[in-house]
Amino acid sequence: MTLDNFQYIISFDLEASCWRPSNYAKAEVIEIAAVFLNLKNGKIESEFHKFIRPTHHPILSNFCVNLTGITQSMIDRQETFPTVFNQFISWLDNIRIEHGIHLTTPNQKSVKSGANATICSWTDWDLLEFLPLDCKRNGIECPDSLKAWIDVRKKYDQFYNSLRGMPFARALTKFNIDSTGKDHSAIDNAKGLAQMVILLSDKGARFGEVTRAL
């Protein structure tokens, strides 16, 4: 089983602090998760999951707690973004070495240019907005491997000729993917997204080159 000749995917999701009304400029990543899916055998072979303690606006809003299920006590003793981000990059490096993967980058956007793996996310928000914002805020250079990915919702909408962005929870239901966790749990969403990518591909959806490269 391959995804347009990709042999591996990394299904990625994060949760960020939030308010009502929205204030994206203040948002900080409070949970990051990813699963490494080997498309050759259909198995998740590694997972990364960490909660993160925000530092610029350390107190979560009631709206955020109710939406994500992440409470203040769950993050107060966690590491901050720079530490967790470095741990995530180390996890990616270990996978790269162990499995010989070459992730898509802005210069290598498809298997034709040497990549055999790509990151998948639901919408561009996590990798285009929230993650780069925290990297910039903390003076961290985001690696090229996190600057090119597949927006699975875009592929979903194209395949089903949907003019409106499909909510992730509804898409899971459409595919009969059992989501026993919360709608806004990064690790549950990453696992559900990995299943959805496989099912979309089996139905004939084409992914091809990455949909975003910065």
Side-chain angles (χ1 to χ4, degrees), residues 103-118:
L103 280 165
T104 50
T105 68
N107 294 322
Q108 293 179 299
K109 297 185 287 185
S110 70
V111 292
K112 294 180 181 179
S113 58
N116 63 357
T118 190

Side-chain angles (χ1 to χ4, degrees), residues 35-54:
V35 297
F36 174 64
L37 179 66
N38 186 335
L39 293 169
K40 294 183 290 186
N41 58 24
K43 295 181 179 180
I44 291 176
E45 299 196 348
S46 184
E47 300 179 14
F48 182 90
H49 180 220
K50 293 283 185 178
F51 291 106
I52 299 171
R53 174 167 54 87

Side-chain angles (χ1 to χ4, degrees), residues 19-198:
W19 295 262
R20 181 69 72 193
S22 299
N23 190 334
Y24 294 123
K26 292 171 56 178
E28 297 176 70
V29 178
I30 56 175
E31 183 187 11
I32 185 169
V35 297
F36 174 64
L37 179 66
N38 186 335
L39 293 169
K40 294 183 290 186
N41 58 24
K43 295 181 179 180
I44 291 176
E45 299 196 348
S46 184
E47 300 179 14
F48 182 90
H49 180 220
K50 293 283 185 178
F51 291 106
I52 299 171
R53 174 167 54 87
T55 55
H56 294 270
H57 302 280
I59 305 302
L60 299 180
S61 69
N62 289 333
F63 173 77
C64 185
V65 172
N66 291 331
L67 180 69
T68 65
I70 300 172
T71 65
Q72 195 68 42
S73 62
M74 291 170 64
I75 62 169
D76 276 343
R77 296 186 179 182
Q78 303 299 326
E79 302 285 358
T80 60
F81 179 82
T83 298
V84 175
F85 186 74
N86 284 335
Q87 292 171 351
F88 176 59
I89 297 303
S90 294
W91 178 76
L92 286 177
D93 287 342
N94 289 336
I95 289 173
R96 176 180 57 80
I97 294 169
E98 181 178 353
H99 296 273
I101 71 168
H102 300 280
L103 280 165
T104 50
T105 68
N107 294 322
Q108 293 179 299
K109 297 185 287 185
S110 70
V111 292
K112 294 180 181 179
S113 58
N116 63 357
T118 190
I119 291 177
C120 293
S121 67
W122 187 261
T123 79
D124 289 328
W125 277 98
D126 290 350
L127 290 160
L128 183 64
E129 300 290 342
F130 295 124
L131 192 69
L133 178 63
D134 251 343
C135 283
K136 182 178 181 180
R137 185 184 283 134
N138 288 280
I140 297 171
E141 179 65 29
C142 194
D144 282 351
S145 57
L146 296 177
K147 295 180 180 179
W149 62 88
I150 289 176
D151 176 356
V152 179
R153 187 176 75 171
K154 182 177 180 180
K155 297 301 183 182
Y156 180 101
D157 290 341
Q158 289 174 343
F159 186 68
Y160 286 105
N161 296 315
S162 175
L163 299 178
R164 302 174 62 183
M166 173 66 77
F168 184 62
R170 193 179 302 171
L172 290 176
T173 300
K174 183 178 178 67
F175 280 103
N176 294 317
I177 296 174
D178 181 25
S179 178
T180 57
K182 293 181 177 293
D183 289 345
H184 290 273
S185 163
I187 186 61
D188 290 334
N189 288 350
K191 291 178 180 179
L193 182 63
Q195 294 182 60
M196 189 181 301
V197 166
I198 292 175

